[in-house]
Amino acid sequence: MPTMTVLATTAVPDHVRGALTRWMIEPVPGLYVGTLSARVRDELWSVITASIGPGAAVLIHPEANEQGFTLHTAGERRRTPVDFDGLTLVAFRPRDEATPATSETMPANALT
């Protein structure tokens, strides 16, 4: 039975975006929404994970669990899903010491 599926992407190759728009709509850049069967959803996710490159993607779809949905990720992300007694929570990875926060690298007179 088809269910609503949400997919968010960042910096994925154009051919992946094209494949996604065959099955889903893109209301804003990088956000795809559609009603897909489990087979189509799994095939699309396989294509995305195989060709993600330097980009990232998050797939959310209904699931028979306490939260009512499941979350899949691919690529490098600062936010990482963590299973906590059957619930999916999102943990933040610490920033690299070599990459300071944006506010620290901005010159003091940049806002004036």
Side-chain angles (χ1 to χ4, degrees), residues 2 9 35 46 61 64 69 77 85 88-89 96 112:
T9 62
T35 305
S46 295
H61 62 86
F69 65 89
R77 302 193 70 82
D85 288 338
T88 301
L89 303 177
D96 288 343
T112 58

Side-chain angles (χ1 to χ4, degrees), residues 78-95:
R78 185 159 179 245
R79 295 179 174 147
T80 306
V82 177
D83 182 78
F84 185 77
D85 288 338
L87 295 176
T88 301
L89 303 177
V90 178
F92 284 88
R93 287 186 296 136
R95 292 187 186 271

Side-chain angles (χ1 to χ4, degrees), residues 2 13 24 31 33 39 43 46 54 56 65 69 76 87 94 106 112:
M24 306 171 90
L31 180 68
V33 180
R39 181 176 180 177
E43 287 296 320
S46 295
N65 60 23
F69 65 89
E76 288 294 318
L87 295 176
M106 187 180 297
T112 58

Side-chain angles (χ1 to χ4, degrees), residues 6-94:
V6 177
L7 180 67
T9 62
T10 305
V12 295
D14 288 339
H15 72 277
V16 173
R17 294 182 72 193
L20 289 171
T21 57
R22 290 184 195 127
W23 296 95
M24 306 171 90
I25 63 168
E26 188 179 13
V28 295
L31 180 68
Y32 300 88
V33 180
T35 305
L36 307 174
S37 68
R39 181 176 180 177
V40 171
R41 181 189 65 228
D42 293 343
E43 287 296 320
L44 282 174
W45 187 243
S46 295
V47 168
I48 292 166
T49 56
S51 57
I52 195 76
V58 176
L59 173 70
I60 302 170
H61 62 86
E63 189 71 33
N65 60 23
E66 291 295 321
Q67 290 174 303
F69 65 89
T70 190
L71 181 100
H72 302 279
T73 61
E76 288 294 318
R77 302 193 70 82
R78 185 159 179 245
R79 295 179 174 147
T80 306
V82 177
D83 182 78
F84 185 77
D85 288 338
L87 295 176
T88 301
L89 303 177
V90 178
F92 284 88
R93 287 186 296 136

